[in-house]
Amino acid sequence: DAGITQSPRYKITETGRQVTLMCHQTWSHSYMFWYRQDLGHGLRLIYYSAAADITDKGEVPDGYVVSRSKTENFPLTLESATRSQTSVYFCATAGYPGSSYEQYFGPGTRLTVT
Amino acid sequence: SQQGEEDPQALSIQEGENATMNCSYKTSINNLQWYRQNSGRGLVHLILIRSNEREKHSGRLRVTLDTSKKSSSLLITASRAADTASYFCATEGGGSQGNLIFGKGTKLSVKP
């Protein structure tokens, strides 16, 4: 049981290209999250989802698009990549909402935009 | 949005010593969580403390919470080289969907 996986683990792309980062979980957790991690900023929430077809913006959503047609998948798309989107991206899941419950993180995708 | 802020930003100790990291936050909380991140990996949940708890233990970890000072501390006793990692505190975000807000982390280095 892989739990939560992210693909690709590493990606180099050029400015202006569309990039999709994949996140897949096997727990059937309702809640899924996308974070980016940058030096000096810690983790910042990009988008989150409470269930299939329910998504909402986080702290830094500009330039990103998400979808969730199935409970187990939560892809993150950079519509037109910019250098400022060079970062490490983490997907996370939670069975229940709120700070009473832990989040489970994937291994991350390191994205470089040249 | 409220955010936990860890202190210090970096900490270097010898194996066997205790490591203490602090987290301050801005507004009232229901719970506070601590996570660990090994280099190149995702975050792993360590411990959760509720607002009505003052102290909680898990193995070599001891977490305290002082709601009057809006602060929490994470103590790792008898540290090991394997404890080398970054440590983050997290509190509830402002959204209704259950998101967390993470601090910037304390980078702990334990030297053998």
Side-chain angles (χ1 to χ4, degrees), chain B residues 3-14:
Chain B
Q3 181 183 35
E5 289 288 342
E6 293 87 349
D7 170 63
Q9 290 185 336
L11 180 62
S12 182
I13 60 173
Q14 295 292 134

Side-chain angles (χ1 to χ4, degrees), chain A residues 9-10 31 33 35 37 40-43 45 48-50 54 56 59 90 94 96-108 110, chain B residues 1 3 30-33 35 37 40-45 48 50 88 90-105:
Chain A
R9 293 294 314 279
Y10 304 90
Y31 292 81
F33 309 85
Y35 296 91
Q37 185 176 35
H41 289 281
L43 275 85
L45 183 66
Y48 54 96
S49 170
I54 300 175
D56 207 350
E59 182 184 354
F90 289 99
Y96 300 93
S99 62
S100 299
Y101 302 96
E102 66 180 279
Q103 292 187 9
Y104 300 84
F105 282 78
R110 184 175 292 274
Chain B
S1 60
Q3 181 183 35
N30 294 313
N31 307 282
L32 185 142
Q33 300 184 31
Y35 286 78
Q37 183 182 32
R41 303 286 188 90
L43 278 70
V44 174
H45 181 263
L48 180 152
R50 305 190 188 283
F88 297 84
T91 56
E92 57 255 41
S96 60
Q97 305 287 354
N99 55 302
L100 295 175
I101 297 218
F102 290 82
K104 296 178 182 178

Side-chain angles (χ1 to χ4, degrees), chain B residues 13-34:
Chain B
I13 60 173
Q14 295 292 134
E15 213 166 23
E17 295 180 339
N18 294 341
T20 300
M21 288 156 272
N22 303 296
C23 169
S24 59
Y25 54 91
K26 298 176 184 177
T27 62
S28 297
I29 60 170
N30 294 313
N31 307 282
L32 185 142
Q33 300 184 31
W34 284 93

Side-chain angles (χ1 to χ4, degrees), chain A residues 32-44:
Chain A
M32 297 188 75
F33 309 85
W34 273 108
Y35 296 91
R36 59 177 291 173
Q37 185 176 35
D38 306 287
L39 281 174
H41 289 281
L43 275 85
R44 291 181 292 175

Side-chain angles (χ1 to χ4, degrees), chain B residues 58-69:
Chain B
S58 177
R60 292 184 296 111
L61 305 181
R62 173 183 169 236
V63 170
T64 62
L65 181 64
D66 187 335
T67 53
S68 66
K69 295 182 179 178

